[in-house]
Amino acid sequence: MNIILIVIIAANVLFSYKGFNDVSFFRKYEFHIGSIRAGEQIRMFSSGFLHADMGHLFFNMFTLYMFAPVVIDHFGSFSFLLIYVGSLVFGSLLTLLMHKNDYSYRAIGASGAVTGILYSAILINPSMMLGLFYVIPIPAYLFGIGYLLYSIYGMKAKNDNIGHTAHFGGAIGGYLITLLKEPMMVVDNTTMVLLLAIPIVILFIMSKAGKL
């Protein structure tokens, strides 16, 4: 397994485990709008290495483990790291932008960064198939689009504690950085580039119309 991927997974496991057992540590480094607006910008990065519980941690790290090799094999380790960190930051920036007046808003998790890697992997290998519920075969691009449409629903419904906005920001980060690194994808795989842009466009239209 790639050394950069091992380091990222290890950092998530160690940081999360510390958070599981130390509430003050968890509160100090989670994403919290009020604290960030008071100057604690480190939370925009550190929150991406904290998780709510072992299930949350396992799901994110397992998803990363499954899709990271596609990005690493295509772009190399450094670019993979760039996409991961860039997606994490995009997720935090979009969350800050869309929740800037909700001073009590809190979020944690690597979901934004992982979703960015997922979107990048789909752009690289559009024919990739996934096993929905580990059984039903589904094209990866349909999963990616469906996941973001569900995230829009979650952002609108506000009926859970999942950081849907970070998922979206991470996907946008992975999408843009991947296309900036390999602009010919727009020409070589125009249909897929446009399909993956659909939920992103819907998000901004709904945001502009005040529907979120």
Side-chain angles (χ1 to χ4, degrees):
M1 190 162 63
N2 180 271
I3 185 66
I4 299 294
L5 179 57
I6 292 172
V7 169
I8 288 174
I9 292 175
N12 272 278
V13 170
L14 293 173
F15 210 70
S16 295
Y17 186 75
K18 173 67 172 173
F20 295 157
N21 298 286
D22 187 339
V23 175
S24 62
F25 178 86
F26 186 91
R27 291 301 181 202
K28 183 178 180 180
Y29 292 109
E30 69 180 343
F31 188 99
H32 178 238
I33 293 289
S35 299
I36 292 169
R37 293 198 62 176
E40 297 180 25
Q41 277 79 26
I42 186 64
R43 292 170 178 264
M44 296 182 68
F45 182 77
S46 62
S47 58
F49 292 87
L50 286 171
H51 291 81
D53 51 42
M54 286 300 295
H56 186 205
L57 173 64
F58 175 78
F59 179 79
N60 274 336
M61 293 304 98
F62 180 73
T63 304
L64 179 64
Y65 175 79
M66 293 300 291
F67 290 98
V70 177
V71 181
I72 293 168
D73 290 346
H74 189 79
F75 282 134
S77 298
F78 178 77
S79 293
F80 160 71
L81 181 61
L82 175 67
I83 294 169
Y84 184 90
V85 174
S87 298
L88 192 163
V89 172
F90 263 84
S92 291
L93 286 173
L94 186 63
T95 304
L96 181 62
L97 177 67
M98 299 194 74
H99 297 277
K100 62 180 181 292
N101 295 320
D102 183 358
Y103 282 72
S104 63
Y105 184 90
R106 301 173 185 273
I108 48 163
S111 301
V114 173
T115 307
I117 294 298
L118 168 65
Y119 241 55
S120 180
I122 294 170
L123 282 170
I124 292 166
N125 185 5
S127 61
M128 187 167 40
M129 297 293 290
L130 300 178
L132 188 62
F133 305 118
Y134 306 105
V135 177
I136 307 166
I138 178 175
Y141 72 88
L142 286 181
F143 175 82
I145 292 169
Y147 185 66
L148 287 196
L149 291 175
Y150 166 70
S151 293
I152 291 178
Y153 166 77
M155 291 163 66
K156 186 173 175 58
K158 298 182 176 69
N159 58 3
D160 56 37
N161 294 319
I162 298 172
H164 296 287
T165 313
H167 298 168
F168 229 105
I172 294 170
Y175 180 84
L176 291 178
I177 296 170
T178 300
L179 291 180
L180 284 172
K181 288 197 65 63
E182 196 163 315
M184 282 306 294
M185 284 183 177
V186 177
V187 176
D188 296 338
N189 201 5
T190 308
T191 302
M192 189 56 58
V193 170
L194 292 175
L195 278 174
L196 291 177
I198 289 172
I200 297 172
V201 172
I202 291 173
L203 172 77
F204 283 103
I205 290 173
M206 290 181 69
S207 178
K208 200 75 174 174
K211 300 292 186 182
L212 292 175

